Amino acid sequence: MTGTGAIIGATVLDGTGGEPVAGGTIVYRDGRIESTGPADQVEVPADVPVTDASGKFVIPGLLDANVHLFPQIPDYILLHRGRYEELIIEGAQLALSGGVTTVFDTCGPVDALIAARDSINRGDTIGSRMFVAGNIIGFPGPLAAEHAQHGNLLGGETLAAINADWEKGTGPDTWWLTPEHLAERVRAYIEQLDVDFIKYAASAHDTPQINYSARAQTAIIDTAHAAGLPVQAHTMSVESLRMAVEAGVDLLTHPNVTGSEPIPSETIDLIVANGIPSSANLWTERYMEFALAHWSTRRRTYYGPYVVENCRRLIEAGAELVLTTDGFIAGPRTRSHPYFSNCVPIEQAPDFPYHLGHSHLLWFEAAAEQGMTAMDALVSATQGVAKAYRKDGELGTLEPGKIADLIVLDADPLVDPRNYRRISDVVKDGRTVDLAALPQQRLASDDISV
Amino acid sequence: MTGTGAIIGATVLDGTGGEPVAGGTIVYRDGRIESTGPADQVEVPADVPVTDASGKFVIPGLLDANVHLFPQIPDYILLHRGRYEELIIEGAQLALSGGVTTVFDTCGPVDALIAARDSINRGDTIGSRMFVAGNIIGFPGPLAAEHAQHGNLLGGETLAAINADWEKGTGPDTWWLTPEHLAERVRAYIEQLDVDFIKYAASAHDTPQINYSARAQTAIIDTAHAAGLPVQAHTMSVESLRMAVEAGVDLLTHPNVTGSEPIPSETIDLIVANGIPSSANLWTERYMEFALAHWSTRRRTYYGPYVVENCRRLIEAGAELVLTTDGFIAGPRTRSHPYFSNCVPIEQAPDFPYHLGHSHLLWFEAAAEQGMTAMDALVSATQGVAKAYRKDGELGTLEPGKIADLIVLDADPLVDPRNYRRISDVVKDGRTVDLAALPQQRLASDDISV
Amino acid sequence: MTGTGAIIGATVLDGTGGEPVAGGTIVYRDGRIESTGPADQVEVPADVPVTDASGKFVIPGLLDANVHLFPQIPDYILLHRGRYEELIIEGAQLALSGGVTTVFDTCGPVDALIAARDSINRGDTIGSRMFVAGNIIGFPGPLAAEHAQHGNLLGGETLAAINADWEKGTGPDTWWLTPEHLAERVRAYIEQLDVDFIKYAASAHDTPQINYSARAQTAIIDTAHAAGLPVQAHTMSVESLRMAVEAGVDLLTHPNVTGSEPIPSETIDLIVANGIPSSANLWTERYMEFALAHWSTRRRTYYGPYVVENCRRLIEAGAELVLTTDGFIAGPRTRSHPYFSNCVPIEQAPDFPYHLGHSHLLWFEAAAEQGMTAMDALVSATQGVAKAYRKDGELGTLEPGKIADLIVLDADPLVDPRNYRRISDVVKDGRTVDLAALPQQRLASDDISV
Amino acid sequence: MTGTGAIIGATVLDGTGGEPVAGGTIVYRDGRIESTGPADQVEVPADVPVTDASGKFVIPGLLDANVHLFPQIPDYILLHRGRYEELIIEGAQLALSGGVTTVFDTCGPVDALIAARDSINRGDTIGSRMFVAGNIIGFPGPLAAEHAQHGNLLGGETLAAINADWEKGTGPDTWWLTPEHLAERVRAYIEQLDVDFIKYAASAHDTPQINYSARAQTAIIDTAHAAGLPVQAHTMSVESLRMAVEAGVDLLTHPNVTGSEPIPSETIDLIVANGIPSSANLWTERYMEFALAHWSTRRRTYYGPYVVENCRRLIEAGAELVLTTDGFIAGPRTRSHPYFSNCVPIEQAPDFPYHLGHSHLLWFEAAAEQGMTAMDALVSATQGVAKAYRKDGELGTLEPGKIADLIVLDADPLVDPRNYRRISDVVKDGRTVDLAALPQQRLASDDISV
């Protein structure tokens, strides 16, 4: 399921941050980039089909550092047991249709995620290339009391069985453990499941409480590193952020969420000095204004005061903020679900930042608003994500030997971030994607016009 | 799927209340009784396989006037969408394994119930013969707020869709209607669904509030009668009971449940004078003692004071109380479900009266305690139920032309009601049932030892 | 605490529906009207202080047929035990400040209501004259599960004790009773408490379920009538409405609320033929438009389709719709209370119809919109209410011998219903009220500008 | 309100762990011990009233290191606003009636606690001598969602106002803070309120999540120490316990509660090496057996596996476990409250360990079961607690200059721990307490027979 081809005539922005190459040529064969450069330096072999993209712009396929492909409301969880893989693929196809050729799924039902990932990687199914963490170490399953009020609807056995499918031994019972025992759990999780990276919850899901002591965090990270897996940490406060940084994580998940405190300058300095990338949620001013008017008091306290300012300061200090959406399939059932009733009314929210396959386009606009240069944004959304996950040997740039994932745009994304929306073609593994056919099935989604 | 055979040598109790015939012979062919009588008056044709049941007792197959084959907890409702028919058949097989050859299912998911009924009737599946009401007119679907506290677990669309599958246009929105409009709804329900009888809720599920005015109740009954269907009414109070009697129902569901008031004598007289049978819940003294010690205050108020005394008085006055259990598959998930947390702890309850396939055996013991003669109890459990549902042309007695449903007991049920437990054989449609093989699949049940 | 005085020069609209008397004179002494008529027919005694109201308009003090003076949210109920009387008086003063000289409180904590009523009647306290029903027969106390979801906050004893203070033996346990036993409860309630009239719930609070059979409703009414008390019925559906009418109530509470069915013409005819007045909730078009956009689906079903149309048809048919608001102190805590979260956002609602002391002014505008003549509206708001409660011997009109409750308006209320807002003076019991001083204490209210 | 007297003839156990003095004499004047020793070494001044306690045993008044005098269920909180001080004094009198002359209240409504403390200390009121922490730093107020499910009963303003009375700026919003800002909050709390010691929550109330980072915990402790106040920490897990120990707390609250992990030996060693006392909850075997059979699965996980074994190991290692109950007024409303429905049924629980005024007597029995010598137990319950709180200059032993708090027992407590129940007299501040008169008012308690 790989392809061969060449694109000529376009301005090539190769994701490394190097100078754009006008009238460049890219040749890819069997899914890998064979050669790239100015037209006069690159010869297109005779057997390669050529696309003339004169006047257009070629960028690497985008990578989203944080998505949740499975639409995690109880309705889908309960009514679609046995069909989770289909829902995940629907999500991966939505992402791909927006030019996101690779996604990093940081939380969901791990067996189905792995099955979907492998199906896509084998070429059995079209979809964004997936890397999977499975459960966030320390998070409870989706029907736990921490997430849902379930009245008397379901029996304890039912709840426990479903939660266990998510937790896989890494749920809240790990909060009790000594660092040594916690490391054993993480090791067992890695050994039993073929995950691509590890994410742990340094703090609780929705409060700044710290799930693991400094020693325990180190134990998680060391265990994952010993297995060759990069580690990221969910944090919700200045102290849990600092602890994760000091513990040595490879990637910070929404470090900009710090509630009533701004990130202390010394912590920002530490992030920059250690070169730790951040998958911070960048939200546009339009969205923030709407959200502040609609969030509950509690939510406003958590997300409101510094969520944007922290990003500006991180960017200004030179921290690397990689493309991320936290996106999910915000389809009709999800949008009207009581689960989200304390958030914004999704239908009415302008620039809603969690629409899988769409909201990454808004990220570029928010990045510009918050002080990132256009070239830095492009690099952060391509090479940056790949590096954060140690996948830059294969992904993220248009360089010979790399996987041939790329987007052809009708207009220059460096001139206006909205030009990322002007997708002409998406090529994944050297094959041009039939965007109009995605998703192939709509169990959860409807059409979000871009 | 009908059978032919003869039983000789047994004492025959034919369900009519007539004198037992010692050493009787019963011949059935192609599922129907061909002849029956003393050995010297009935000749067994040569081609008929004969079973010698000397020393045993033959009674008609039992009929349970009120069961709920589908185990109606949200867990099964949500996780087994598409498999409801299997759950229903599991229930019908449990019933059959206890000698109940015919059940009247008074509330459940109607499409699946009809499919299961037809599958059994066609002989595709083994199980108790089913007659089906579908929804109780006036009851909400199983996930309605009246039944369950669902926190924020499920979205409104999900809840509405499932409830609609149950309600089929006859849910609580009919409480608003004029009698004329209500009649239209009932008519449409009957026309669209191939139900066997109609049950309506004269009062609410769990309170004595009256769902329908006298005129509205008359409208329901007249509409069902016009379509040839018998009608029964759920009542919870002395006034809703009286109204149902005056409106002209054919069968009273648990008329003994009247909360803090005993049934007035004039109402009992009216029931007797009009010859209206009752599917009253008869509970043993052992169960009542346990229940009174474990029920919530509220439940004790509803069920406690007069639930037994009402039955005694009805029996004494000559009212006909037919065999009924309100039984369901009280399997492990059901038994531990928070739904039932305000009821008794099922595992510990002696003589728990709702075990499908088992508790009808306790009914005979309770009937004896409450003053019913042994012969009256037998007739009430056979011919009595058949008459109540106008099925006595085919079911309920061991008379020529009737369907060959019968039970061979090892001991005389007139001597001791516990002898109903001593089942030697169950014959349905003239075929001997392989009791050990039932149920063929256990999705919801486990083994309740009889 | 009664007063003496005379008003001259004003146009007098005496509440009987008779022709306005320009330049009329009204003389009142010791709180009663002594004489009234054209200036040339009525002499003002020398000892009587005279107010020249030339150019102004005098109408009887308004009577509101349905208020809830106690602000019935759990916060006040729980935190202000022992101070209920103060809250009620605050409500009675708000009403008076809007020209409502008499209110009929149809539901609240009866001991405190009676204490407040007697304090006002004795002249110890200023406030609108109160008549009191206490509990609505058949309604649970305010902390019952029917009203509130209380989680695990309060123990059963606490809930039961508070609810009992409201129910006084007439709560939902009466739903179980035979008509005879129900009558005993009502009789005991009347004997123990010095209430002025009886209100019963023919249907549930928020559903169309019928609380009492036809016989039981008759028993309530006959018992109250035997004690000399008029009876009104809360109804929520076409059938509960018809039953109440047939049972012989003296006043119908919001008969226009009939959910998904319009009132059948035959029921309207019956209401008119029997001359039964209605305290229907008349809402302005502005409010209805807002409400329909904000109500939950459920609420829209209940109130939406016919609530206005029913009023129009009642008015057109000649039914008498008397002034009513169902008003309460919609102060800051009430307005933001989760109790009301399924209703409209009160702060934003135009023409919110439940503001005690204010919303009765909107009633006149709604009445005009829905087809009532200006003179009929005035009579309905004065003599009409008095007649409905059999108080027209003393209240409701400006006739000799009547209590001297009146309003002086700056502009003609027959010309524009908004002129009811232009209050110059309110006289109660012959004494001019210091409107600016009301309420004397604000425990629950804030200022609603008229 | 201090007294003067002498006791002669009794065996004196002075709380220091020294040898019992048979036939000892104790002289106290104006509430302080003047002299003590063998009869032949101590002369009783002529003006001092003498009590002959021959054959009896004198011990210091007991000190309970952890009580909650205010019965913290929402019913009292809501219905008794303004009467909290009365409820607290009722608790202090219950404690005193059981021989507990000093209590350390570690969580409650601080203003009322301080008022009650000062009233007792001034001698205006009789009761156990109180020391007060107020809020546990990091705990929410009692009506927070963490504690109670409140449905829609109360409005947000009401909840916030009550919670704020408890939190006083040290609630869960401090979880967000940098160590520096947290220190400011603690400093403000100490400056504004006259508390006697500080307690902070190293972990959450009912989960092992960590509220504060190591740096933040150090900030709390340093701030309190700078103000001269001792500090204790609530912990719920092995890691939060270790962090508190390493941060330098003066007292550990229930360090034996560590859920699914036993305390690591290195942590026990650290506790012993640093000499940090523990107010561990010691429960009798009878109670534990009952509790394990009745706790919810979750609670069993939290408290079950190691709660006793941890204590045994701490005792064996030489850690000091001081007398503590966590006691409250477990009166009728509390015992039946849904708040506690996931705990044991209090009425049926043998040796229920939280009865204020009673359960400290069970502590001695549990201590014996778990390996503490009789003399160590006595010292731990007297001098031990005083030292833990740095009050051993005045309290905890029968030495000259100390406050004259003592108990006269009828039998030797070193022989049988049940002999602590055989109280003959309690002397506080040199005055003999009228035990039969306590409590002087029963708002919340009923009689727990000892």
Side-chain angles (χ1 to χ4, degrees), chain B residues 132-146:
Chain B
V132 167
N135 194 48
I136 301 174
I137 312 287
F139 264 27
L143 300 185
E146 285 85 345

Side-chain angles (χ1 to χ4, degrees), chain A residues 27 75 102 129 182 221 223 257 292 318 331 338 346 365 372 377 379 409 416:
Chain A
V27 180
D75 307 59
T102 300
R129 177 177 296 100
L182 175 59
I221 294 168
T223 304
V257 177
L292 288 168
I346 296 180
E365 298 173 38
M372 205 183 292
V379 174
L409 296 172
D416 185 335

Side-chain angles (χ1 to χ4, degrees), chain C residues 343-360:
Chain C
C343 306
V344 299
I346 297 180
E347 306 249 19
Q348 300 157 34
D351 292 354
F352 183 70
Y354 298 107
H355 278 307
L356 200 60
H358 172 63
S359 296
H360 63 282

Side-chain angles (χ1 to χ4, degrees), chain C residues 325-340:
Chain C
T325 58
D326 233 338
F328 57 90
I329 308 178
R333 285 201 190 205
T334 306
R335 291 202 297 267
S336 63
H337 204 279
Y339 234 55
F340 296 107

Side-chain angles (χ1 to χ4, degrees), chain A residues 74-75 149 151-153 155 158 333, chain B residues 74-75 149 151-153 155 158 333:
Chain A
D75 307 59
Q149 299 150 14
N152 61 4
L153 207 62
T158 301
R333 286 202 189 203
Chain B
D75 306 58
Q149 299 150 13
N152 61 3
L153 207 61
T158 300
R333 285 201 189 206

Side-chain angles (χ1 to χ4, degrees), chain A residues 151-446:
Chain A
N152 61 4
L153 207 62
L154 297 172
E157 294 169 45
T158 301
L159 295 170
I162 291 174
N163 287 333
D165 279 354
W166 259 253
E167 297 177 6
K168 298 283 183 182
T170 65
D173 55 334
T174 61
W175 300 343
W176 297 103
L177 301 179
T178 60
E180 295 70 31
H181 292 159
L182 175 59
E184 287 170 18
R185 289 282 188 93
V186 175
R187 200 173 302 124
Y189 178 81
I190 292 171
E191 284 170 4
Q192 285 161 28
L193 298 162
D194 182 23
V195 296
D196 300 297
F197 62 97
I198 290 293
K199 179 177 180 182
Y200 75 91
S203 72
H205 178 244
D206 224 21
T207 80
Q209 285 170 298
I210 296 162
N211 287 335
Y212 301 112
S213 70
R215 278 199 204 172
Q217 295 191 35
T218 300
I220 295 170
I221 294 168
D222 289 351
T223 304
H225 282 173
L229 302 183
V231 181
Q232 65 184 283
H234 160 102
T235 69
M236 289 286 290
S237 64
V238 293
E239 284 297 277
S240 59
L241 172 59
R242 185 180 54 74
M243 288 173 74
V245 168
E246 292 179 355
V249 295
D250 303 301
L251 179 60
L252 297 164
T253 316
H254 48 67
N256 56 320
V257 177
T258 57
S260 60
E261 290 271 15
I263 308 176
S265 294
E266 63 184 29
T267 302
I268 290 182
D269 293 346
L270 203 56
I271 292 169
V272 174
N274 292 359
I276 309 175
S278 297
S279 64
N281 291 338
L282 300 188
W283 296 335
T284 69
E285 288 163 13
R286 291 181 69 213
Y287 175 70
M288 275 307 292
E289 185 181 358
F290 181 88
L292 288 168
H294 286 84
W295 277 330
S296 64
T297 305
R298 177 179 163 118
R299 206 159 189 86
R300 203 157 49 231
T301 307
Y302 280 33
Y303 292 112
Y306 296 107
V307 83
V308 169
E309 186 187 313
N310 282 335
C311 289
R312 287 187 186 279
R313 290 174 57 222
L314 283 163
I315 291 168
E316 193 178 8
E320 184 166 18
L321 275 59
V322 300
L323 172 60
T324 199
T325 59
D326 234 337
F328 57 89
I329 308 178
R333 286 202 189 203
T334 306
R335 290 202 296 268
S336 63
H337 204 278
Y339 234 56
F340 297 105
S341 63
N342 66 333
C343 306
V344 298
I346 296 180
E347 306 250 20
Q348 298 156 36
D351 293 356
F352 183 70
Y354 298 107
H355 278 306
L356 200 59
H358 173 63
S359 296
H360 62 282
L361 301 166
L362 301 166
W363 181 89
F364 292 100
E365 298 173 38
E369 286 175 7
Q370 293 173 26
M372 205 183 292
T373 70
M375 183 56 92
D376 281 354
L378 174 60
V379 174
S380 292
T382 52
Q383 190 188 46
V385 180
K387 278 188 175 172
Y389 281 98
R390 316 231 173 117
K391 302 296 177 194
D392 51 318
E394 299 216 305
L395 294 169
T397 57
L398 300 177
E399 295 174 302
K402 300 292 171 70
I403 289 171
D405 290 356
L406 56 85
I407 307 176
V408 182
L409 296 172
D410 286 333
D412 188 351
L414 301 184
V415 169
D416 185 335
R418 284 171 297 183
N419 289 342
Y420 282 99
R421 307 185 186 194
R422 303 187 57 186
I423 295 172
S424 172
D425 273 311
V426 173
V427 172
K428 181 179 169 243
D429 290 315
R431 297 173 63 94
T432 302
V433 177
D434 180 3
L435 298 175
L438 300 183
Q440 293 164 319
Q441 179 182 234
R442 288 192 184 276
L443 289 178
S445 64
D446 53 7

Side-chain angles (χ1 to χ4, degrees), chain A residues 4-7 28 44-51:
Chain A
T4 297
I7 296 171
Y28 44 88
V44 180
D47 63 333
V48 169
V50 177
T51 302

Side-chain angles (χ1 to χ4, degrees), chain C residues 13 57 59 62 98 282 284-285 323 351 358-379 381 407 409-423 450:
Chain C
L13 301 153
F57 297 80
I59 61 172
L62 300 173
L282 299 188
T284 69
E285 287 163 14
L323 173 59
D351 292 354
H358 172 63
S359 296
H360 63 282
L361 301 166
L362 302 166
W363 180 90
F364 291 101
E365 297 174 38
E369 286 175 7
Q370 293 172 26
M372 205 184 291
T373 68
M375 182 57 91
D376 281 354
L378 174 59
V379 174
I407 308 176
L409 296 171
D410 286 332
D412 187 350
L414 300 185
V415 169
D416 185 336
R418 284 171 298 182
N419 288 342
Y420 283 98
R421 307 184 186 195
R422 302 185 58 186
I423 296 172
V450 179

